[in-house]
Amino acid sequence: MLTMDAKRNTDSYSYPNGMLNTGWIAGVLRLPDRENGRCFIQQTRSENHMLPIEFDPKNAPLPRDLREWDLVMAYCHCYGSRDGDQRLVHMKSIRFEAANAMHMNKDFADALLKKWAVHVHEAAKDSGTPPSIAKLGEVHGAPEGASRVDSFDWKAMRMNHNASNHLRLAGIIEAKHYDANRVGLDGKPMNDRLIVLLRQHSDPDRSISIRWYSRNLKPLAEALKRGMPISVQGEYRLDVKAIGAPDPGTGIAPVVKIPFIQAKDMPVPVMPGSDAIRVVPHWLTSMLTERDVPQAADTPSTASAVDTDAQKLFASAFKTGGEANA
């Protein structure tokens, strides 16, 4: 549990591996399991899109006065895992707060209310409008319209930094995968998709899966290289796919859910000395040499958190980083 001093100083919890990793998610508390450290935060009426949240029951418990269907805000760290060939993202709360309508500002309220107003798929369960969401609308007014933006406009660069679901991450590119000329089940063309695995940990399987969607992502896909340090802002999402026909009795279809981070802006290169990455990870040298990336002759075999070493390693990553597939 964070002390009051730590709460006021975001740096105290924003760099769990020496790299920027912080975010917040606000919504309706669902299915709290206090003993096992699991719950969901719901931001849309569709129960298929309830966001799974982990927490430590002893060190970062869910406050006892919070009940299911209450508004809640979770301050989180993000990490990845691997299930066979599938990459998953996990969100672990380090602190919960009651996000009541009196202190949730208009930006948060508008973002959440617009999401809640989005039409629910016919084969998914609709939660309706719980009292906490209705009260939020009474305090801040109904949103102008429903919105759940799934891509950014490459030309206008209109970003969607959702105030109710926002993450900031920095790390080293472990791998990438680019899908162009995508076609939906209805035969219509779909946006390009770029998947980047952002590594912050010595175990590459804990890399964080980040996706970009847009009309033309080829320039970005070509610019990003393995070993390159970047920072990005995004949103915690679930990729929900139906895996069968709707149940005749309930009308609800079975689905598979893949959690990921959806990028909401262009990635920014992290230059030597940047505050986004504060230490040189010991595994970066081996990552670069694994793919025969040349380094300066006087680069040490084991990197230390010394500025000169950081400059050599990052400069090498920018200059000669290779590619790999996600």
Side-chain angles (χ1 to χ4, degrees):
M1 186 177 299
L2 296 177
T3 65
M4 288 305 298
D5 287 342
K7 291 178 183 179
R8 286 190 291 265
N9 179 17
T10 57
D11 280 3
S12 66
Y13 56 81
S14 297
Y15 298 84
N17 291 297
M19 303 184 191
L20 183 63
N21 185 327
T22 184
W24 60 84
I25 300 170
V28 176
L29 177 63
R30 297 298 313 276
L31 306 177
D33 182 347
R34 300 176 190 277
E35 291 186 1
N36 295 304
R38 293 191 296 266
C39 69
F40 293 84
I41 292 182
Q42 188 171 354
Q43 294 193 318
T44 76
R45 290 168 52 179
S46 172
E47 296 196 1
N48 280 343
H49 290 276
M50 296 193 304
L51 301 171
I53 305 292
E54 304 168 11
F55 61 92
D56 186 327
K58 293 184 178 180
N59 298 317
L62 190 64
R64 288 290 174 185
D65 58 345
L66 284 176
R67 298 289 183 264
E68 187 170 21
W69 298 105
D70 287 347
L71 291 177
V72 66
M73 184 187 298
Y75 295 87
C76 300
H77 289 152
C78 178
Y79 69 94
S81 70
R82 187 170 185 168
D83 183 5
D85 292 332
Q86 186 62 62
R87 299 283 185 163
L88 306 175
V89 164
H90 305 264
M91 207 64 59
K92 186 167 185 177
S93 174
I94 58 172
R95 172 167 57 103
F96 289 101
E97 288 184 355
N100 61 66
M102 296 303 294
H103 79 260
M104 180 179 278
N105 66 34
K106 186 170 178 55
D107 288 339
F108 275 93
D110 284 349
L112 186 54
L113 291 171
K114 285 180 179 179
K115 279 191 167 193
W116 206 274
V118 173
H119 176 69
V120 176
H121 192 278
E122 288 80 1
K125 187 174 181 180
D126 187 340
S127 292
T129 304
S132 57
I133 292 293
K135 183 177 180 181
L136 196 63
E138 292 172 3
V139 173
H140 294 282
E144 294 181 358
S147 70
R148 181 176 164 83
V149 179
D150 290 322
S151 64
F152 60 82
D153 190 315
W154 182 271
K155 294 181 180 179
M157 296 299 288
R158 292 178 299 173
M159 307 312 175
N160 178 34
H161 293 165
N162 194 306
S164 67
N165 186 332
H166 189 67
L167 291 105
R168 298 184 300 141
L169 300 166
I172 312 298
I173 295 177
E174 171 68 20
K176 69 179 181 181
H177 180 77
Y178 173 50
D179 292 318
N181 303 316
R182 301 168 66 228
V183 178
L185 296 177
D186 56 2
K188 296 181 179 180
M190 300 171 64
N191 281 331
D192 291 358
R193 177 178 62 190
L194 172 63
I195 302 175
V196 167
L197 298 182
L198 191 70
R199 184 171 173 182
Q200 295 187 328
H201 195 273
S202 58
D203 181 0
D205 284 346
R206 290 175 63 94
S207 298
I208 301 166
S209 178
I210 303 175
R211 301 184 188 181
W212 281 261
Y213 292 92
S214 187
R215 288 190 294 268
N216 179 19
L217 289 171
K218 185 177 180 180
L220 177 59
E222 292 177 344
L224 297 181
K225 308 293 183 180
R226 186 172 192 257
M228 179 182 290
I230 62 170
S231 64
V232 66
Q233 301 185 76
E235 182 177 339
Y236 182 36
R237 287 284 193 93
L238 292 181
D239 187 358
V240 180
K241 303 293 185 185
I243 56 175
D247 180 88
T250 64
I252 305 300
V255 297
V256 62
K257 306 172 186 179
I258 306 299
F260 68 99
I261 302 302
Q262 179 156 330
K264 292 301 180 181
D265 65 359
M266 297 293 289
V268 178
V270 176
M271 303 305 292
S274 168
D275 194 51
I277 297 180
R278 295 184 168 183
V279 299
V280 179
H282 64 86
W283 42 263
L284 180 57
T285 302
S286 59
M287 172 195 272
L288 297 178
T289 56
E290 277 172 3
R291 298 187 61 85
D292 300 320
V293 179
Q295 299 187 58
D298 57 346
T299 300
S301 58
T302 57
S304 60
V306 180
D307 288 346
T308 55
D309 294 343
Q311 291 171 4
K312 293 173 185 176
L313 288 169
F314 285 148
S316 178
F318 275 111
K319 185 177 180 181
T320 56
E323 293 187 23
N325 290 328

